[in-house]
Amino acid sequence: MKNELSIDQIQKFQNDGYVVIEDFLSLEELDYWREALDEAVAKRKGYKMPGRKEVYGKGDDDDKTYYNNVFEQLINLWQDNEKMRAIMLDERLGKMAAQLSQVDGIRIWHDQALIKKPWANPTSWHLDTPYWSFTDRRALSIWVALDDATYENGCLFFLPGTNHRTTFENPGIGKNMGAIFITYQDLVNNKSVSAPMKAGSCSFHNGLTIHGANANMTPGFRRAMTCAYMPDGNTYNGTQNILSDEQIISLRVGDLLNDEKQNPLIYSTKINT
Ligand SMILES: O=C(O)CCC(=O)C(=O)O
């Protein structure tokens, strides 16, 4: 795994709100991630999350059939598959996320497999952090290509630097590709940058960087394994997102989100010296 970051990569992430790392995984690691994904997806039997069909705040477009054909979205596979658990709890990933976002500690918010099936809809321009149950401009995600991600099958696109200009207002992933520019009219002329990736390459993006993906115009699959990271020390903001009904009942706005079973601390400068 190419887990050592250069100063330039950190700087690029800070400036542009994303960075691509080519050939992040070795061929053996890529095989292992794919195996983990296949096993974990098969075990889920269509459930989006352990024990739950829906995710609060996702797919809230009226037309669920449209959203369901943007990608197959399976969340927190680390919680019910040993291989995926080993992958996601790897402190090297946590250290990269901490270095890029310049924080002392990193917790998993949630992992997710995002599988664009043949002929899938595009992923409209959106932000991530506003979906989540905490409010932090430094939150970020890793996105690992498990198939070649191409212009034809749905590679990612970013609007560089928008992480410095967006707020927590988010129209979400709906049918209107450009809905976000109704909210952020001042960003409508920004140039987008594509991020085609070979299988095994990855990107990190800040959750407030505007990003999206092409439709899948092919009969093949575009599989990606991703993980959203929460800087340690964050508190509950009243949004349910991936939290269970039981957790919501016991949480008060302002409570620390530090449940190791839900949001494990995978790297901290205080522990990993
Ligand atoms: O894979 C996609 O189509 C979109 C990915 C995305 O929005 C994300 O990882 O935050």
Side-chain angles (χ1 to χ4, degrees), residues 26 44 161 222 230:
S26 68
R44 267 301 163 83
R222 188 231 65 186
M230 169 174 72

Side-chain angles (χ1 to χ4, degrees), residues 133-201:
S133 315
F134 61 97
T135 306
D136 190 327
R137 296 200 67 89
R138 302 164 303 174
L140 73 166
S141 292
I142 186 173
W143 189 100
V144 184
L146 298 187
D147 296 305
D148 290 348
T150 64
Y151 296 115
E152 289 81 13
N153 72 3
C155 70
L156 291 180
F157 284 71
F158 298 100
L159 287 193
T162 46
N163 50 311
H164 301 294
R165 299 182 56 193
T166 49
T167 63
F168 287 82
E169 248 187 280
N170 192 26
I173 300 172
K175 277 185 194 168
N176 181 358
M177 186 71 188
I180 200 152
F181 300 109
I182 300 167
T183 310
Y184 299 104
Q185 287 177 21
D186 53 328
L187 300 178
V188 73
N189 290 322
N190 275 41
K191 271 191 86 170
S192 67
V193 175
S194 60
M197 285 178 224
K198 279 193 299 180
S201 296

Side-chain angles (χ1 to χ4, degrees), residues 8 38 80 119 169 200 240 248 267:
D8 283 354
D38 289 349
D80 58 20
W119 321 120
E169 248 187 280
Q240 179 155 11
I248 290 303
Y267 177 78

Side-chain angles (χ1 to χ4, degrees), residues 89-122:
L89 268 55
D90 187 334
E91 92 183 26
R92 291 176 299 176
L93 295 182
K95 184 173 181 185
M96 292 174 88
Q99 286 179 324
L100 289 168
S101 56
Q102 305 195 329
V103 301
D104 290 336
I106 276 290
R107 290 182 181 274
I108 290 185
W109 177 242
H110 63 67
D111 72 18
Q112 58 181 344
L114 294 176
I115 302 170
K116 270 199 193 289
K117 291 192 267 193
W119 321 120
N121 291 323

Side-chain angles (χ1 to χ4, degrees), residues 48 54-68 73 124 130-131 170-175 239 241:
K48 276 186 189 274
E54 290 296 329
V55 182
Y56 299 101
K58 284 271 186 188
D60 43 8
D61 188 59
D62 284 344
D63 188 349
K64 287 266 194 317
T65 55
Y66 182 88
Y67 185 79
N68 288 337
Q73 181 188 27
S124 60
Y131 286 119
N170 192 26
I173 300 172
K175 277 185 194 168
T239 300
N241 189 228

